Amino acid sequence: MPRTTSATDTELAHRLTRRNMLGVAAGATAAALLGSTATTASAAETTPDPRRGHSRPVLPPGRLGIQLYSLRDKVSTLGFAKVFAELRRYGYDEVEYAGYTQGSAGPLTLAQLRRLTRDHGLRAIGSHVGYYSSDPKAYTFAQNLTQVLDDAQALGLQHIGTASGPWRYGATVDGWKRCAEEFNHYGAEAKKRGMKFYQHNHAEEFSFATDRPGVRLYDVLLAETDPELVYLEMDIYWAYAGRFRFGRRPDGTPAPFDPLDYVLRQPDRYPLFHVKDGERDDSATDGYRMVDVGDGDIDYRRFMSAVGRTRGGRRDHHWQAEHDNPAESFAFARKSSAHLHSLRERDC
């Protein structure tokens, strides 16, 4: 039976088309440029390496960060200062906080944390905070927005966001529209303070609405949030897991997508990325098994090169290495940096 299009589907399609017009043009330009050399960003980037021809690094200078959740064991036992010293030694430029305490290393103020980050040559690029809670005193956007933004401002953050999906009101189109309204509010309040509010995805955001099984929930989020107020931090690993799990609608009809296409359509909406890797395994629930960056099958040379060739792509995007449960967190951080710094665009 042919799939019918509901009024809701038509409305969403219209919103996405209207909001994406410039993004689509930028994405098409980026795709066209994949086979050509992008404009030189700096002399250092284009110095020929006789072993690699005239290619340039895929990773833009000064844009490698790490999500500190990956190093939570070291932060808890050693403290931020020792962790930051190691990260700088490994070649990191930025950090994304996953909380502001350091366990047995002792208490510290936000001013001290900001100074420690800066003194170790690192920039604090963002932070993950919960979306909502049933506890009215919880440190979340929904329960304590002013405090969350006060703290982010005290730390000098450019971005403040949540790793919680828009599930507060269920998995219906209307439920996600309600979450989008709240995200727009958080984004407006963050913008007043010179920050960008963002949402970080997992795989399930790419699933389909329970009341409109032809509508992908991630598309609802994109359509219903204001691109001037709500930004996205694509977790690339989970996006590929989402493609594996939700490449078909509930009725079994194909619904393929490429995570990179979302970015190329609206590159300005994706200032941050999580770079984590996975070995392809079709027997696994997510289609991948998480591994250290560089040990898996996700083509980061292709992904990062394409993003870098969008307008402002090597200036406006930040790449945060991450592993949810690394076998040894310092080894993960060291290997990830070495691998990402080694990637170079293919010679033309």
Side-chain angles (χ1 to χ4, degrees):
M1 176 183 290
R3 190 170 70 91
T4 58
T5 301
S6 69
T8 301
D9 294 346
T10 302
E11 177 193 357
L12 284 169
H14 174 70
R15 286 173 182 258
L16 282 169
T17 300
R18 175 169 50 82
R19 286 187 175 171
N20 290 1
M21 281 193 294
L22 291 178
V24 169
T29 300
L33 285 171
L34 284 174
S36 64
T37 303
T39 302
T40 302
S42 70
E45 288 182 72
T46 56
T47 301
D49 182 336
R51 298 168 299 173
R52 300 175 185 266
H54 293 275
S55 61
R56 66 174 177 176
V58 165
L59 181 68
R63 290 294 182 267
L64 179 61
I66 192 165
Q67 166 49 250
L68 290 173
Y69 181 77
S70 304
L71 296 155
R72 59 194 181 277
D73 61 324
K74 297 297 194 292
V75 172
S76 177
T77 56
L78 302 177
F80 283 111
K82 291 183 178 179
V83 169
F84 290 164
E86 286 298 297
L87 292 176
R88 193 60 184 148
R89 196 162 65 88
Y90 300 157
Y92 285 92
D93 311 292
E94 301 173 336
V95 294
E96 182 183 33
Y97 299 122
Y100 310 136
T101 59
Q102 57 178 2
S104 61
L108 77 171
T109 66
L110 294 179
Q112 289 172 323
L113 178 56
R114 180 175 184 173
R115 188 163 53 249
L116 276 177
T117 308
R118 182 194 61 214
D119 288 350
H120 285 87
L122 298 167
R123 288 185 301 275
I125 195 64
S127 180
H128 280 184
V129 176
Y131 168 20
Y132 67 94
S133 171
S134 58
D135 179 0
K137 297 181 180 179
Y139 190 77
T140 64
F141 284 94
Q143 277 65 46
N144 282 288
L145 177 62
T146 299
Q147 187 63 59
V148 167
L149 296 180
D150 284 348
D151 291 349
Q153 197 166 20
L155 288 163
L157 299 181
Q158 299 176 35
H159 309 85
I160 180 69
T162 181
S164 304
W167 306 103
R168 186 177 188 181
Y169 307 110
T172 65
V173 169
D174 284 344
W176 274 52
K177 285 183 177 182
R178 290 180 66 186
C179 291
E181 289 179 8
E182 295 181 349
F183 281 12
N184 284 333
H185 172 60
Y186 306 153
E189 293 303 306
K191 186 175 183 178
K192 291 176 184 177
R193 299 168 181 247
M195 293 180 287
K196 293 179 178 179
F197 169 80
Y198 64 94
Q199 195 266 337
H200 164 283
N201 66 274
H202 293 88
E204 290 75 17
E205 280 87 338
F206 297 94
S207 64
F208 296 91
T210 54
D211 60 335
R212 303 289 186 192
V215 175
R216 196 181 298 280
L217 288 170
Y218 196 72
D219 293 337
V220 178
L221 180 67
L222 288 171
E224 297 295 329
T225 50
D226 186 333
E228 298 297 321
L229 300 176
V230 177
Y231 296 84
L232 293 309
E233 176 181 61
M234 180 175 280
D235 185 304
I236 299 167
Y237 171 90
W238 287 123
Y240 277 93
R243 182 175 73 167
F244 174 82
R245 291 176 56 186
F246 306 111
R248 291 183 177 274
R249 299 179 185 88
D251 65 2
T253 58
F257 70 92
D258 185 341
L260 178 59
D261 288 343
Y262 275 105
V263 182
L264 296 185
R265 283 196 292 268
Q266 299 187 77
D268 292 345
R269 294 202 75 178
Y270 292 88
L272 305 175
F273 294 92
H274 273 192
V275 180
K276 61 175 66 162
D277 212 344
E279 287 183 328
R280 186 62 189 262
D281 181 353
D282 288 356
S283 69
T285 300
D286 294 315
Y288 293 88
R289 298 196 180 277
M290 199 176 296
V291 296
D292 290 348
V293 177
D295 291 344
D297 298 313
I298 297 177
D299 189 349
Y300 277 110
R301 186 197 311 273
R302 168 182 173 265
F303 196 105
M304 296 174 71
S305 292
V307 175
R309 287 170 173 168
T310 61
R311 184 179 60 185
R314 294 182 67 83
R315 179 193 65 230
D316 298 336
H317 303 281
H318 305 262
W319 306 89
Q320 316 295 306
E322 188 186 32
H323 191 309
D324 291 356
N325 292 290
E328 209 296 313
S329 55
F330 275 155
F332 155 74
R334 183 172 60 251
K335 287 172 58 181
S336 299
S337 175
H339 175 71
L340 292 171
H341 277 105
S342 76
L343 293 177
R344 300 187 73 85
E345 295 182 344
R346 298 190 185 281
D347 292 333
C348 300

